[in-house]
């Protein structure tokens, strides 16, 4: 039987960072599940990045990246693997969804978010002053194509697969950074815009994303905060 966290269980420590999209995914999922995390924000600045690297992150993850989760003698890195662990730890509410077909679709969509869509955003991060560069143009087109793929998939549902899932969490966080990196959602995908508003209204999302927005407002390379994040900061 999966174990349930209780007062006798060892604390669950998550190493993350102020602007870690992948760490934020884990935090939101944990809040949705009612799992308490001891979150350690590793040192980060826009000027120096993650240097010097946190020694525990370096010890556990060969890629030297957050997020890293430690629970007793269990040490895991990679946000998707951590989401799987949290699901086993506390199966309800089911964020990989009930039923083999829906679970498979949720896992595939979360993977598409991380490995198909987000690489376009990563390319754009170093090309913000050269958006006419062929690489930037291709990345922007790739992001737009992904939005067009999602719009009919969402359809009239509140969430991507009907019920709220880890796929929604992953897509929201990835697309937050896409918005910031000049690949915004537009009126071309009105259902996605409405979905993002629903996501932004969830207590778990606000709890994790508002501190990120506050940090970006202070130290965001002078770029304006995306409108939907600014709205969140004003309590709307």
């Amino acid at each position: 039987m999966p174990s349930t966290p209780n007062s006798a269980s060892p604390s669950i420590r998550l190493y993350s960072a102020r602007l870690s999209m992948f760490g934020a995914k884990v935090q939101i999922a944990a809040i949705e599940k009612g799992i308490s995390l001891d979150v350690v924000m590793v040192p980060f600045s826009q000027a120096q990045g993650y240097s010097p690297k946190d020694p525990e992150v370096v010890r556990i993850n060969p890629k030297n990246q957050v997020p890293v989760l430690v629970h007793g003698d269990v040490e895991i890195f990679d946000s998707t693997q951590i989401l799987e662990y949290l699901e086993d730890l506390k199966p309800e509410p089911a964020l990989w969804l009930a039923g083999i077909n829906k679970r498979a679709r949720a896992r595939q969509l979360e993977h598409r978010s991380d490995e198909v869509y987000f690489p376009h955003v990563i390319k754009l991060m170093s090309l913000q002053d050269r958006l006419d560069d062929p690489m930037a143009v291709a990345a922007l087109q790739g992001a737009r194509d992904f939005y067009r793929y999602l719009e009919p998939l969402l359809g009239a549902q509140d969430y991507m697969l009907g019920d709220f899932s880890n796929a929604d969490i992953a897509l929201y966080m990835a697309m937050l950074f896409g918005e910031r990196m000049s690949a915004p959602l537009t009126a071309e995908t009105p259902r996605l815009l409405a979905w993002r508003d629903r996501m932004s209204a969830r207590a778990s999302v606000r709890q994790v994303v508002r501190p990120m927005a506050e940090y970006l407002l202070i130290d965001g390379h002078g770029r304006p905060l995306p409108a939907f994040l600014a709205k969140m900061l004003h309590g709307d």
Side-chain angles (χ1 to χ4, degrees), residues 9-58:
S9 301
S11 64
I12 306 173
R13 180 171 296 175
L14 177 73
Y15 291 88
S16 188
R18 290 177 186 270
L19 296 183
S20 172
M21 177 200 95
F22 298 103
K25 283 169 52 180
V26 174
Q27 287 182 267
I28 293 169
I31 293 168
E32 290 282 347
K33 283 184 164 292
I35 296 174
S36 178
L37 297 178
D38 175 13
V39 180
V40 177
M41 290 294 182
V42 304
F44 172 82
S45 71
Q46 295 283 7
Q48 292 184 297
Y50 294 103
S51 298
K53 300 280 188 177
D54 184 278
E56 277 296 273
V57 173
V58 171

Side-chain angles (χ1 to χ4, degrees), residues 55-73:
E56 277 296 273
V57 173
V58 171
R59 180 182 69 80
I60 295 168
N61 186 353
K63 297 176 74 174
N64 297 346
Q65 296 171 341
V66 294
V68 165
L69 183 136
V70 178
H71 186 204
D73 60 357

Side-chain angles (χ1 to χ4, degrees), residues 152-169:
L153 180 68
L154 176 60
Q157 303 173 117
D158 282 347
Y159 298 104
M160 287 295 164
L161 299 172
D163 297 318
F164 178 79
S165 75
N166 283 325
D168 293 287
I169 297 172

Side-chain angles (χ1 to χ4, degrees), residues 109 113 146 150 160 167-176 195:
L109 194 51
S113 175
F146 192 75
L150 290 177
M160 287 295 164
D168 293 287
I169 297 172
L171 287 165
Y172 179 88
M173 288 311 308
M175 290 157 69
L176 183 158
W195 164 84

Side-chain angles (χ1 to χ4, degrees), residues 57-211:
V57 173
V58 171
R59 180 182 69 80
I60 295 168
N61 186 353
K63 297 176 74 174
N64 297 346
Q65 296 171 341
V66 294
V68 165
L69 183 136
V70 178
H71 186 204
D73 60 357
V74 174
E75 298 176 339
I76 314 171
F77 59 90
D78 182 82
S79 62
T80 303
Q81 299 303 313
I82 295 172
L83 293 178
E84 296 283 359
Y85 182 75
L86 295 182
E87 194 81 352
D88 287 340
L89 190 67
K90 190 175 181 186
E92 298 296 335
L95 294 184
W96 283 126
L97 302 182
I100 188 171
N101 290 347
K102 275 200 168 184
R103 280 199 302 275
R105 291 172 65 203
R107 288 184 170 113
Q108 182 76 125
L109 194 51
E110 190 260 1
H111 184 73
R112 281 180 181 268
S113 175
D114 288 1
E115 302 297 336
V116 176
Y117 169 73
F118 200 61
H120 298 308
V121 179
I122 292 172
K123 286 179 185 174
L124 289 169
M125 287 179 180
S126 62
L127 296 167
Q128 287 300 290
D129 58 344
R130 293 176 286 133
L131 291 176
D132 58 349
D133 183 288
M135 288 184 63
V137 171
L140 288 167
Q141 187 60 53
R144 293 186 192 107
D145 288 344
F146 192 75
Y147 302 153
R148 293 187 190 109
Y149 160 76
L150 290 177
E151 181 79 355
L153 180 68
L154 176 60
Q157 303 173 117
D158 282 347
Y159 298 104
M160 287 295 164
L161 299 172
D163 297 318
F164 178 79
S165 75
N166 283 325
D168 293 287
I169 297 172
L171 287 165
Y172 179 88
M173 288 311 308
M175 290 157 69
L176 183 158
F177 280 84
E179 188 88 13
R180 212 175 149 253
M181 292 296 139
S182 308
L185 292 179
T186 68
E188 183 183 5
T189 54
R191 290 168 174 168
L192 277 183
L193 287 170
W195 164 84
R196 186 175 68 187
D197 286 343
R198 284 190 290 276
M199 289 293 296
S200 295
R202 292 187 77 93
S204 60
V205 172
R206 296 175 80 85
Q207 184 175 329
V208 174
V209 171
R210 284 192 66 165

